[in-house]
């Protein structure tokens, strides 16, 4: 079975959606830990509920990104993590983790990339008055939401929706798509390990 680590910065609704699928057996991976960069991130409480160990790695305690990521890497190696899953983790991944986990870091983005990259994708789509947005799961590289796309799903926007309604619909697509892609990527890693 593939070991994953989930990285998050906020409330952890995607974390919870993933954990539900792990728990019911539809996503056959083991979540070894949750990595957070904020001590008050609500996802820590969600992790407790699922008995997943969480680690708050405070970026302010380290001189630079390399040192910060070396600390994270130490945890990942200790937990024998095969795949990093970014689930609302609001920090760029640097050289240390990219080199240690080539094509083993995936991210979910609440837009149909390359449309609306960056931290405010849902708001950007809403303000642009586009007819469609979407959700993308992609491999992480050194750019901002520029890594190779694994899967995408389109979402039609009802012109009567307010921002909160759009967010709800985008998140619903995320919750359904992300676990399926994690499963697909995990199966690929498992196959590579057994070759």
């Amino acid at each position: 079975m593939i070991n994953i680590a989930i990285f998050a910065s906020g409330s952890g609704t995607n974390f919870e959606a993933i954990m539900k699928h792990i728990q019911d057996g539809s996503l056959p991976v083991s979540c070894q830990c949750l990595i957070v960069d904020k001590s008050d991130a609500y996802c820590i409480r969600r992790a407790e509920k699922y008995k997943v160990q969480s680690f708050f790695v405070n970026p302010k305690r380290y001189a630079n990104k390399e040192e910060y990521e070396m600390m994270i890497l130490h945890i990942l190696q200790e937990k024998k993590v095969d795949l990093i899953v970014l689930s609302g983790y609001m920090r760029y991944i640097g050289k240390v983790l990219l080199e240690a986990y080539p094509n083993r870091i995936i991210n979910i983005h609440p837009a149909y990339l390359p449309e609306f990259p960056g931290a405010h994708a849902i708001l950007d789509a809403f303000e642009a008055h586009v007819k469609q947005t979407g959700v993308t799961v992609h491999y992480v590289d050194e750019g901002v939401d520029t890594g190779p796309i694994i899967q995408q799903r389109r979402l039609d926007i009802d012109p009567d929706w307010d921002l909160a309604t759009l967010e709800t619909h985008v998140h619903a697509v995320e919750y359904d798509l992300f676990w399926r892609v994690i499963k697909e990527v995990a199966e690929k890693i498992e196959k590579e390990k057994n070759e």
Side-chain angles (χ1 to χ4, degrees), residues 101-170:
Y101 285 87
N103 294 315
R104 298 280 177 96
I105 307 172
I106 62 173
N107 179 50
I108 188 150
H109 183 75
Y112 201 90
L113 291 172
E115 299 163 10
F116 309 114
H120 309 288
I122 299 175
L123 177 63
D124 293 345
F126 181 75
E127 289 181 342
H129 303 289
V130 289
K131 290 179 179 170
Q132 288 184 319
T133 185
V135 170
T136 303
V137 183
H138 64 95
Y139 288 108
V140 174
D141 62 11
E142 52 288 326
V144 180
D145 301 322
T146 55
I149 290 165
I150 307 167
Q151 260 190 60
Q152 293 180 293
R153 199 177 287 174
R154 274 286 186 198
L155 172 68
D156 292 324
I157 300 173
D158 187 315
D160 294 331
W161 288 351
D162 60 9
L163 180 59
T165 307
L166 176 59
E167 282 176 351
T168 301
H169 282 275
V170 170

Side-chain angles (χ1 to χ4, degrees), residues 65-117:
K65 187 183 274 294
E66 285 74 23
E67 283 183 23
Y68 170 68
E69 288 196 343
M70 284 303 292
M71 183 64 215
I72 294 172
L73 184 58
H74 174 72
I75 296 165
L76 300 179
Q77 288 171 338
E78 212 169 72
K79 295 288 182 184
K80 298 182 168 54
V81 168
D82 302 296
L83 175 66
I84 297 171
V85 174
L86 306 184
S87 179
Y89 183 68
M90 303 307 285
R91 201 163 281 281
Y92 299 126
I93 299 297
K95 196 176 174 187
V96 170
L97 290 177
L98 285 170
E99 286 181 359
Y101 285 87
N103 294 315
R104 298 280 177 96
I105 307 172
I106 62 173
N107 179 50
I108 188 150
H109 183 75
Y112 201 90
L113 291 172
E115 299 163 10
F116 309 114

Side-chain angles (χ1 to χ4, degrees), residues 42-66:
Y42 189 77
C43 53
I44 295 168
R45 287 196 202 171
R46 294 186 201 268
E48 285 165 8
K49 186 170 109 177
Y50 289 96
K51 296 180 173 52
V52 172
Q53 191 175 6
S54 59
F55 294 90
F56 164 52
V57 185
N58 187 351
K60 292 176 184 156
R61 282 190 55 198
Y62 300 91
N64 52 48
K65 187 183 274 294
E66 285 74 23

